Amino acid sequence: MELNIGVDLGGTNLVIGLVEGESNILAKKQTATNAGRPAESIVEDIDRLSREAAAEAGVDFADIRSIGFGSTGIANSTTGRMEFAANLFWSDVPIRDLISGLTGKPVFIDNDANAAAYGEHLAGAGKDADISMTLTIGTGIGTGLVIRNEIYRGFNFAGMEAGHMVIIQDGRPCKCGRKGCYERYASASGLIYTTGEFMDEDPASSLWTACEGEKIRLNGRLIFDAADAGDATALRAVDTFIGHLACGVTSLLNMFQPEILAVGGGISAQGERILAPVREIVSRELYSRFGKNHAKIVKAELGNDAGIIGTANLWKEGIK
Ligand SMILES: [Zn+2]
């Protein structure tokens, strides 16, 4: 069986997985990213953790075929350079050559949302679909589209950033510089922001007790729990969030019509609680609703492992 390493570098954590075949994770290692340190220092951790993962799994490091790397930002898969990654403070980092230089392995790189979508396409919710799209809903919204085992990147490797599709013109400011981006409403932080706005209008909401009077303590689970317990403001916030999520999903389906649209990230733990009403709104609004075939909106299957499974398979991307 093929052995490959998948690397998922986020703003908070660096996770390495040793993957056998397409998706069998033999060992996983993690450390803090400590964003802001030089890329060389992070690459030393990637090398060390890769070797530790091999040792833990009883695998000879020499038997590992490749290393795949994913992080947020603009990952040029052809040049192997991270052209820009805001949360890592990286600009034009030759990450492929740095990792390859230290490990001696062929290295393949991509954007982390693309990698997660690729993982789901190969071994998760999209494995039986020709065309699948994955939304990873966390602090922001990562999106990836895979068409018959090929990741859609745009000509400049900056494509499929649907989190920065504006859904409300002149809406909430986004770190990208625009206003009203999808991820400012339909991410976990969007839900928290909406909830905070509604709480200001309702001093009696149980959410004030749940967050001990400090909105900074709010999180998705607290909000969904309060909604399920019948708190009117929490219910209104959840309904508003679902409306925003469905608005973007409908537009994405109108544009791309993937066979499968998988929803992943922390909020997907709510499962049918959010997916059923999203499907209901989409079924009313989708341009192609009178057609015969419809995209399936499902929960992503690989959870937090989508990134390492996707990157571990990057070596074969495009191979038919
Ligand atoms: Zn934006």
Side-chain angles (χ1 to χ4, degrees):
M1 281 273 230
E2 286 281 353
L3 294 166
N4 295 277
I5 296 272
V7 179
D8 188 1
L9 177 61
T12 310
N13 290 312
L14 164 65
V15 187
I16 306 275
L18 172 58
V19 181
E20 179 191 46
E22 214 151 52
S23 60
N24 184 26
I25 298 172
L26 299 180
K28 212 155 63 161
K29 295 284 169 186
Q30 184 169 330
T31 192
T33 300
N34 291 328
R37 60 180 165 141
E40 288 79 0
S41 166
I42 289 178
V43 168
E44 281 171 15
D45 276 350
I46 292 172
D47 178 60
R48 178 176 57 80
L49 294 174
S50 298
R51 293 174 195 274
E52 285 177 16
E56 185 180 301
V59 164
D60 188 344
F61 190 70
D63 291 339
I64 293 169
R65 178 193 178 113
S66 76
I67 296 180
F69 170 92
S71 79
T72 57
I74 302 169
N76 187 318
S77 308
T78 302
T79 63
R81 300 174 88 91
M82 284 301 303
E83 294 185 358
F84 183 69
N87 64 351
L88 300 170
F89 309 98
W90 283 7
S91 178
D92 200 27
V93 170
I95 190 69
R96 181 179 69 196
D97 292 349
L98 289 175
I99 299 174
S100 192
L102 210 51
T103 61
K105 302 291 180 190
V107 174
F108 302 86
I109 76 163
D110 213 317
N111 169 276
D112 61 351
N114 285 355
Y118 190 52
E120 289 291 340
H121 186 81
L122 292 178
K127 64 180 176 293
D128 296 323
D130 271 357
I131 304 175
S132 70
M133 180 179 279
T134 299
L135 266 53
T136 306
I137 302 180
T139 314
I141 297 182
T143 49
L145 173 68
V146 186
I147 305 169
R148 296 177 192 92
N149 290 355
E150 276 196 73
I151 299 168
Y152 180 79
R153 302 182 171 100
F155 88 101
N156 58 357
F157 303 91
M160 281 316 293
E161 289 290 346
H164 300 283
M165 160 177 77
V166 167
I167 62 165
I168 294 175
Q169 194 181 18
D170 289 327
R172 295 172 188 165
C174 181
K175 64 181 189 301
C176 77
R178 299 183 84 192
K179 288 181 178 174
C181 289
Y182 189 29
E183 71 172 31
R184 295 294 289 117
Y185 296 86
S187 64
S189 37
L191 167 64
I192 290 166
Y193 194 98
T194 302
T195 305
E197 284 185 339
F198 292 172
M199 283 167 69
D200 289 338
E201 300 168 24
D202 179 12
S205 169
S206 70
L207 283 163
W208 286 109
T209 315
C211 72
E212 299 168 38
E214 293 182 55
K215 287 197 275 186
I216 194 139
R217 293 175 189 264
L218 283 175
N219 60 50
R221 193 181 46 77
L222 280 181
I223 297 164
F224 276 97
D225 285 352
D228 291 342
D231 184 274
T233 287
L235 273 168
R236 183 179 162 214
V238 166
D239 285 349
T240 304
F241 166 78
I242 287 167
H244 288 140
L245 182 60
C247 172
V249 165
T250 307
S251 295
L252 289 169
L253 295 183
N254 281 345
M255 283 187 268
F256 299 106
Q257 292 292 354
E259 211 170 326
I260 293 286
L261 185 138
V263 178
I267 219 108
S268 69
Q270 296 297 326
E272 287 303 301
R273 174 75 177 82
I274 54 172
L275 296 182
V278 164
R279 278 187 213 110
E280 200 270 322
I281 294 168
V282 169
S283 72
R284 274 190 275 121
E285 299 190 358
L286 195 67
Y287 176 77
S288 60
R289 62 191 176 280
F290 300 115
K292 278 188 178 163
N293 300 310
H294 301 289
K296 288 193 178 68
I297 300 167
V298 300
K299 188 177 164 182
E301 290 179 3
L302 303 181
N304 290 333
D305 294 333
I308 50 179
I309 291 173
T311 51
N313 283 287
L314 281 175
W315 66 273
K316 66 178 169 191
E317 194 242 343
I319 298 172
K320 301 296 180 295

